[in-house]
Amino acid sequence: MKRVEILNRLEKTGVVAVIRANSKEEALKSSHAVVKGGLTGIELTFTVPQAEDVIRELATYYKNQPEVVVGAGTVLDGATARLAIMSGAEYVVSPWFDKETAEVCNLYQIPYLPGCMTITEIKEAMKSGVDIVKLFPGGAFGPSIVSAFKAPLPQINIMPTGGVSLDNMAGWFEAGVITVGVGGNLLAPAEKGDFEGVTEVAKQYAAKYAEIKGK
């Protein structure tokens, strides 16, 4: 089943790089820099100019590297979700739960990861077939919220995004998250055109994840 296969690959990535950039070129260079550093989950946000073209190029480039999973982020509605999927996105991420987006993703057997902040939002998302809930912004809670959510809903898969760092990443995984999303501090060097710097930070995250998982 396509969706289950993508979910398994997404879980294996461990760390999803949330790519924001001011241009198509910067987004492509940042994405390649991240993969070069050993992170294989890419969430290309629709705040990037020509986001669908970037997704298409990345999906084509990494077609023969199944460990690399390319998805779309900051997807606000069903029309954008379909555009992302047609461009090659293998999963779709939203800052909040949107029922229309969930339906489009279900139609195409694509995992949908909506941002949720409350147990009520998580319940509504799960009723619409959501497999992984994006805890956003993660920095507003901290890892302790995971056990609070998992007490009544032990079956939920959580991906915190926002506020995840090298220092607190282990705490999130110890709390029981399935994967984490990392953006700002990972891509900070790219703002100065330092893509080798992005690769170096990515290597640190990849090494930290391997250490956490005892690989």
Side-chain angles (χ1 to χ4, degrees):
M1 190 174 175
K2 180 182 176 182
R3 188 157 92 179
V4 173
E5 181 254 336
I6 295 170
L7 283 164
N8 287 337
R9 286 166 55 221
L10 194 55
E11 182 179 357
K12 277 181 188 164
T13 67
V15 180
V16 172
V18 181
I19 307 292
R20 298 188 187 280
N22 295 316
S23 68
K24 175 183 172 182
E25 183 187 32
E26 184 187 329
L28 283 167
K29 285 182 176 178
S30 292
S31 299
H32 292 314
V34 161
V35 175
K36 188 179 175 185
L39 298 183
T40 52
I42 300 289
E43 178 191 324
L44 197 287
T45 67
F46 261 82
T47 54
V48 172
Q50 300 167 275
E52 66 274 23
D53 294 335
V54 180
I55 290 168
R56 189 176 292 110
E57 288 192 33
L58 291 173
T60 302
Y61 187 88
Y62 292 110
K63 187 169 62 176
N64 296 320
Q65 291 177 247
E67 71 276 9
V68 178
V69 191
V70 179
T74 323
V75 174
L76 307 185
D77 52 41
T80 308
R82 187 178 185 279
L83 176 63
I85 294 165
M86 292 297 102
S87 300
E90 295 187 281
Y91 62 98
V92 168
V93 185
S94 297
W96 55 73
F97 172 70
D98 178 70
K99 196 167 190 296
E100 182 194 19
T101 301
E103 288 171 353
V104 169
C105 290
N106 286 339
L107 182 64
Y108 289 99
Q109 283 287 292
I110 291 291
Y112 175 43
L113 289 68
C116 297
M117 286 182 75
T118 67
I119 202 84
T120 304
E121 289 175 356
I122 291 172
K123 181 203 74 170
E124 288 306 310
M126 290 175 72
K127 278 169 65 179
S128 290
V130 165
D131 297 290
I132 301 176
V133 168
K134 174 174 121 167
L135 183 64
F136 178 78
F141 300 101
S144 62
I145 196 71
V146 175
S147 55
F149 284 153
K150 279 182 168 279
L153 294 170
Q155 70 274 32
I156 57 170
N157 296 312
I158 293 175
M159 178 180 85
T161 302
V164 177
S165 67
L166 284 165
D167 293 332
N168 66 19
M169 201 165 98
W172 283 107
F173 280 103
E174 284 162 14
V177 302
I178 191 168
T179 183
V180 297
V182 178
N185 52 0
L186 172 61
L187 294 174
E191 293 170 19
K192 306 183 191 77
D194 179 13
F195 298 101
E196 286 182 11
V198 174
T199 296
E200 287 309 308
V201 181
K203 283 179 181 175
Q204 292 173 26
Y205 273 99
K208 189 70 178 176
Y209 179 67
E211 178 192 319
I212 291 165
K213 290 296 176 179
K215 291 176 181 173

